[in-house]
Every structure is written in structure tokens, then in C-alpha cells.
Amino acid sequence: MTTRAWYREPWPWLLMAGPATVVVAGVITTTIAIRTSDGLVAEDYYKQGLEVNRLLAREKRAEAIGATATAQFSPARDAVQVMLQASSPLPATLRLVLVHPSRASDDRAVELLPVSSGVYRGKLAAPGGVAYRMQLEDGAATWRLGGRWRSADDSASFTVIR
């Protein structure tokens, strides 16, 4: 009976395959962790927490003036038109922010300029594929409305954020 060298047997290789796979997966995971940023962690989280009361006052102001709005997106998703109704004088400009659900780097903001009474337009590069949270505020940031927009939809409506 002749014996073969250990490296010619299948069992040692089969037993080493599991730990080798774990080592490779660990290296890949470490590389991903080092190369990508933690987009959900804010550096000024404490200051953002203190801003809550100021933001609540902006929503109350929007409710007090009876602000409502509807957004209409172009088919190519490169422009947006907002129709605003409010009991107070209409602002000179509006600011629309599309907030990505998980990546701050994909947030989009656009300044909307008036084209007629209560109608504002602006250029917007909105990527598709997700449901965005929307924030609409006047140029002076005294009031704010919110809404949701799925990139597959042509329009969206705003309400007072609660």
C-alpha cells in the first residue's frame, strides 16, 4: 500500500476552504468599511437636536398662513413647477429639497423662481428609483411644508409636517 502526500488528498483542502473563505470575506468587508463613508452619522448631531423647536415653529407658521402646494415634475425629471397657495403674500422665491431616504449625498435642492402668481419653476437633476421626502420652504425659511415623491410619479402634494 502506497500513501499519497497530504496535498494530493481532497479532505485537507475541503477543510481549509471554510476558513479561507472567511478570511477573504473579512478582507472584502474591511475594504468596504474603509472606502465608504457613514452617511447617516451627522457630525453636529447635538446642534441638529436643538433645532427641533425652531423647525416646529416653521410648521406652525405654514399652518397659520394656510400654505398648500403641489409639485409637477417634467417627464425628464430635469425641472419642477410648484403651485403655491397661501393666505399671506407669496414669497419672492421658494426652496425645494428632495431628501434621499438613506444617502445624504443623493439629496437635491433647487431654488424656485416665480413665473406667475403662485407658480414657481426651477431646474432639478432628480435621480430616479426611490421615494424622496420633500421639503418646501420660502426663501427666508420662515415656514416649511413637507411631502413625499416617488420618482415614478409626475406630481406630488405638500402638507404641513407633523
Side-chain angles (χ1 to χ4, degrees):
M1 176 172 169
T2 62
T3 59
R4 297 189 324 186
W6 70 270
Y7 53 85
R8 294 191 185 264
E9 295 291 332
W11 289 109
W13 295 108
L14 185 63
L15 292 173
M16 287 187 283
T21 303
V22 170
V23 169
V24 170
V27 169
I28 291 171
T29 303
T30 302
T31 304
I32 291 170
I34 291 171
R35 289 188 179 175
T36 59
S37 73
D38 298 329
L40 296 177
V41 179
E43 291 183 19
D44 61 343
Y45 61 90
Y46 183 73
K47 286 182 182 180
Q48 289 180 8
L50 294 176
E51 291 289 316
V52 169
N53 288 337
R54 189 177 70 81
L55 294 176
L56 291 175
R58 289 171 56 193
E59 279 99 41
K60 287 180 183 175
R61 173 77 177 133
E63 190 171 26
I65 64 171
T68 60
T70 304
Q72 186 73 32
F73 294 88
S74 68
R77 305 295 185 256
D78 60 351
V80 62
Q81 176 175 296
V82 173
M83 287 68 70
L84 174 68
Q85 296 176 344
S87 60
S88 68
L90 296 175
T93 62
L94 293 177
R95 183 169 185 262
L96 174 65
V97 180
L98 297 177
V99 181
H100 191 276
S102 63
R103 288 190 304 262
S105 61
D106 286 343
D107 291 355
R108 300 290 185 257
V110 60
E111 182 179 6
L112 305 173
L113 301 173
V115 292
S116 65
S117 179
V119 179
Y120 298 81
R121 283 192 191 136
K123 299 277 185 201
L124 176 69
V130 297
Y132 284 89
R133 197 169 35 107
M134 300 184 312
Q135 297 174 351
L136 181 69
E137 59 188 26
D138 64 327
T142 58
W143 56 262
R144 181 175 82 158
L145 295 173
R148 295 212 178 271
W149 174 65
R150 290 182 313 152
S151 56
D153 297 340
D154 291 334
S155 64
S157 61
F158 295 91
T159 58
V160 174
I161 301 171
R162 295 183 199 272

